[in-house]
Amino acid sequence: MPGGIGEDPRPVPVRLLIAGAAGAVGGLALQIARARGVRVDALVSRDTQAAFAREHGAGLVTTDPRALPDGAYAAVFDTFGAFVTGAVADGGRYASIATQAGPVPDLSSRGVRTTVHQVREDGAALDGLTRLVDDGSVRPRLHTAFGLGEIRAAHARFHRGGLTGKIAVVL
């Protein structure tokens, strides 16, 4: 029974898995979750991305979905269609933005609530994100910026790949 003799009265931290934790969206999600005190593990697609996830506070970092503990996560945020549904605990949440990968499997038999998120207008959330950026908890990842007159060069740089952040076109 929670709060019993000898038990720690502090709440157990939520454990979150982010699939794609070094990508544009996943990298921001990782930083936001850590700023809110959430325990985060990371699934990344390449070994070269592991350092980013570790530097931003992820605990377990792996490129191998089989290394993820079954049912260990209260929530999974899937940004690239990894479909690591076995990692979410019964009664947990599985959220995805990877609509290009297909629908998230129905996990209702396990009491798992699944959602697919897309961009929506939310001024209050944007204000909160702005505060996290201003206080240094979240650092946007910008690879390089180009002026509007350099749009062809920006496009060519994007196609070369190997980016460590986003390309911005400054007006």
Side-chain angles (χ1 to χ4, degrees):
M1 174 169 142
I5 296 174
E7 289 190 20
D8 189 339
R10 293 172 295 184
V12 176
V14 171
R15 190 170 180 192
L16 168 67
L17 170 66
I18 300 176
V25 174
L28 284 173
L30 170 60
Q31 292 179 69
I32 292 167
R34 291 297 302 140
R36 292 181 175 169
V38 176
R39 182 177 169 196
V40 181
D41 289 347
L43 176 64
V44 296
S45 58
R46 294 184 301 279
D47 288 331
T48 57
Q49 297 172 326
F52 171 85
R54 285 188 189 96
E55 288 167 9
H56 288 85
L60 170 71
V61 179
T62 185
T63 59
D64 184 358
R66 296 169 300 189
L68 300 169
D70 286 339
Y73 300 96
V76 173
F77 182 40
D78 187 351
T79 69
F80 70 91
F83 297 122
V84 286
T85 57
V88 67
D90 291 352
R93 292 198 57 194
Y94 194 99
S96 176
I97 62 166
T99 55
Q100 80 287 353
V104 174
D106 180 6
L107 304 174
S108 61
S109 65
R110 296 178 39 212
V112 174
R113 192 171 82 188
T114 58
T115 55
V116 175
H117 292 280
Q118 295 297 312
V119 175
R120 64 181 167 80
E121 188 175 317
D122 187 338
L126 186 57
D127 285 342
L129 181 58
T130 300
R131 282 191 297 280
L132 290 173
V133 170
D134 288 346
D135 76 16
S137 298
V138 172
R139 293 186 314 263
R141 295 168 60 204
L142 181 65
H143 184 82
T144 191
F146 291 88
L148 186 56
E150 302 170 292
I151 195 75
R152 289 180 193 263
H155 189 74
R157 178 60 195 97
F158 172 78
H159 278 287
R160 282 198 312 271
L163 302 172
T164 57
K166 291 296 182 181
I167 291 177
V169 176
V170 182
L171 303 178

